[in-house]
Amino acid sequence: MPRFWGELVKLNDALERAHKQFKLCVETIVTPVNKANNLIVSENIHAPIDLPSYSNSAVDGYAIRAEDTYGASPTNPIRLRVKGLLKPGDAPDLYGEIGFGEAIEVYTGAPLPPGANAVVMYEDTHRVNSEIEVIRQVPVYANVNLAGDDVKKGELIIKKGTQINPYHITLLVSLGVKRIRVYKPLSIGIIAIGDELIDLDSPLIPGKKFASTDILVEKYLEGLGFINPHRYGIVPDSLEELINALNKAFKESDIVITIGGTSVSEKDLVPDYVDKYGSWIIRGIALRPGRTTSLAIINDKPLFALSGNPVAAWVALEAFVKPLLYLWLGSKPPLNPYIIAYLRQRIVNQVGYRSFVRVYLEKANNTFYATPYMIKGSSIISSLAKTHGYIVVPEDHEGYEKGEQVKVHLLSNNISI
């Protein structure tokens, strides 16, 4: 494939092509449930038991036979004999079966004793020594959590491809599930490329800059929860050193991401490596910023080639890398939280590109307003650090006018405005 771009691929077409032309081979592992947070389930999970596993009282009161209360009222109380007290954890048959005219006091969560089919609340009774006066009739199964009310045995509770969260773990533990099968976390090697890059331990001299985009990529991937990223450090603009670094990364990783070196100048060496050892699936995507975003296959493993500019790399992660990783694992990325805001100023888009415009938000009179932060400039890292979210302008759209309502995707779940 030529070094120069030609026609860039639209984002949706790029995702579809990458998903169709390459299938990622991912191992599955069995992991303890309490270690599965953020991992992706590799098979359907069904409930092994009912939840709750036994019928129990939903309130503090008295377990009774509902028919014994029919006709009860404040002016016509019905007396029942109390046989004992059941607490959570007690055996349901501790006092035997409830018969006609009998009741057993129960606390919330206590098992429903045999013979009982309802619970009358304390508030609807008067205690008189070993008896109660019921002043309100209750229907069958009133104030009772029936076995299987929450989940029935055999019910599909978690679909294959679901990313596990704390609520799934709570449900699984409640059902007595100890281990589940998930996709093994993906190992992703990250290589920063460029003679101009130095690490934090090096002195800053004219012509050099601290490498930070590889750290952005690492921390972004960590946040997905099912990735084990590893930075391989900085590689200079030397094809020999790049070949050595990439070959090592591919031996140790499921996927490799390069940062920089992917454009069309003679110093951009990633295309030379791909042409020598693999093949391109995508060579440039119509993203703004981020058009250099590319995908190649090297010995049946994917190589994402991203821009060295931090904002362009972030757009590539958000728009292409993240959704494709989920697709390869038979899953879907979580929905981005967003708010509706009014634009403070006009946004102009270059038709044919999907643009990601960073904005900061203000709130006045319970209304949100969005102001673009440096529409251009893929190297302006402050446009991510100082903003609250971003607006996506579709390829066929010329932009948005001042005052127009727009959807602002939030960059974080814990922002305050």
Side-chain angles (χ1 to χ4, degrees):
M1 181 175 288
R3 296 183 68 89
F4 292 92
W5 304 111
E7 185 176 355
L8 298 174
V9 182
K10 291 184 178 179
L11 177 60
N12 289 347
D13 294 337
L15 288 168
E16 183 178 1
R17 183 190 301 179
H19 184 43
K20 283 184 176 180
Q21 293 188 14
F22 179 75
K23 303 298 180 185
L24 186 68
C25 294
V26 188
E27 294 181 48
T28 64
I29 57 173
V30 175
T31 186
V33 166
N34 63 350
K35 301 290 187 182
N37 197 39
N38 289 320
L39 299 182
I40 295 176
V41 173
S42 62
E43 61 186 12
N44 290 334
I45 301 177
H46 295 83
I49 60 173
D50 285 335
L51 184 66
S53 58
Y54 58 89
S55 297
N56 61 84
S57 177
V59 298
D60 295 331
Y62 297 90
I64 46 85
R65 301 191 323 158
E67 52 268 31
D68 287 348
T69 70
Y70 294 165
S73 70
T75 59
N76 182 41
I78 292 177
R79 284 205 169 200
L80 302 175
R81 183 174 65 86
V82 179
K83 296 177 65 175
L85 168 65
L86 281 179
K87 302 182 294 295
D90 287 342
D93 59 355
L94 183 61
Y95 299 100
E97 185 172 343
I98 288 181
F100 172 77
E102 294 181 332
I104 293 178
E105 188 176 3
V106 289
Y107 292 159
T108 301
L112 194 69
N117 59 11
V119 175
V120 59
M121 295 188 295
Y122 281 144
E123 299 92 310
D124 296 328
T125 66
H126 297 304
R127 184 71 180 255
V128 183
N129 298 321
S130 63
E131 294 183 327
I132 56 170
E133 290 183 340
V134 180
I135 60 173
R136 182 172 288 110
Q137 68 180 25
V138 293
V140 173
Y141 300 134
N143 305 312
V144 172
N145 297 315
L146 290 173
D149 262 357
D150 192 346
V151 174
K152 296 197 179 301
K153 181 178 179 179
E155 180 182 336
L156 176 62
I157 53 171
I158 301 177
K159 291 182 179 180
K160 178 182 178 179
T162 298
Q163 188 169 17
I164 294 293
N165 62 36
Y167 315 114
H168 295 126
I169 292 174
T170 302
L171 176 60
L172 291 166
V173 171
S174 298
L175 290 164
V177 177
K178 296 179 181 178
R179 296 176 176 272
I180 59 173
R181 185 169 291 278
V182 298
Y183 291 112
K184 183 180 179 181
L186 296 174
S187 60
I188 298 185
I190 305 165
I191 297 176
I193 303 169
D195 288 336
E196 75 280 12
L197 301 177
I198 57 173
D199 60 36
L200 276 175
D201 293 328
S202 302
L204 184 62
I205 59 176
K208 300 291 185 179
K209 64 180 182 179
F210 294 118
S212 61
T213 304
D214 59 333
I215 296 177
L216 181 152
V217 172
E218 177 191 38
K219 298 309 173 186
Y220 183 99
L221 294 173
E222 282 180 356
L224 298 183
F226 58 94
I227 306 292
N228 287 330
H230 174 70
R231 286 187 294 118
Y232 281 84
I234 301 166
V235 175
D237 294 313
S238 159
L239 184 57
E240 181 181 355
E241 293 193 50
L242 179 61
I243 289 172
N244 291 336
L246 280 168
N247 287 346
K248 175 178 172 60
F250 273 113
K251 286 181 181 179
E252 300 173 350
S253 310
D254 300 311
I255 298 168
V256 175
I257 295 178
T258 55
I259 311 297
T262 189
S263 193
V264 295
S265 74
E266 291 184 0
K267 287 192 67 176
D268 291 304
L269 300 176
V270 173
D272 294 328
Y273 178 87
V274 173
D275 292 341
K276 182 177 178 66
Y277 293 99
S279 60
W280 295 103
I281 292 181
I282 306 293
R283 185 71 176 107
I285 302 177
L287 291 171
R288 185 171 176 254
R291 72 173 190 158
T292 62
T293 304
S294 301
L295 172 66
I297 303 302
I298 311 293
N299 294 327
D300 295 324
K301 290 185 178 181
L303 168 67
F304 289 100
L306 308 188
S307 169
N309 289 323
V311 181
W314 165 76
V315 169
L317 290 168
E318 186 78 356
F320 185 62
V321 177
K322 179 173 77 171
L324 192 51
L325 292 176
Y326 277 96
L327 278 172
W328 280 338
L329 293 177
S331 186
K332 295 180 180 179
L335 296 175
N336 277 4
Y338 70 88
I339 62 171
I340 301 300
Y342 291 92
L343 268 180
R344 291 285 197 190
Q345 67 186 63
R346 186 183 182 210
I347 293 174
V348 178
N349 184 44
Q350 183 176 342
V351 174
Y353 283 80
R354 186 172 303 191
S355 293
F356 288 67
V357 181
R358 288 78 65 205
V359 299
Y360 62 87
L361 295 165
E362 299 169 282
K363 188 177 182 181
N365 299 321
N366 293 319
T367 300
F368 286 100
Y369 298 90
T371 302
Y373 184 97
M374 300 191 69
I375 294 175
K376 296 182 180 180
S378 60
S379 63
I380 309 299
I381 188 62
S382 63
S383 70
L384 290 173
K386 292 183 178 181
T387 53
H388 301 108
Y390 62 91
I391 298 168
V392 179
V393 187
E395 291 91 340
D396 60 352
H397 209 296
E398 293 182 353
Y400 296 114
E401 298 298 325
K402 178 180 178 180
E404 192 169 348
Q405 275 192 333
V406 291
K407 181 188 290 187
V408 178
H409 301 274
L410 301 181
L411 284 170
S412 171
N413 289 325
N414 59 358
I415 66 170
S416 57
I417 300 171

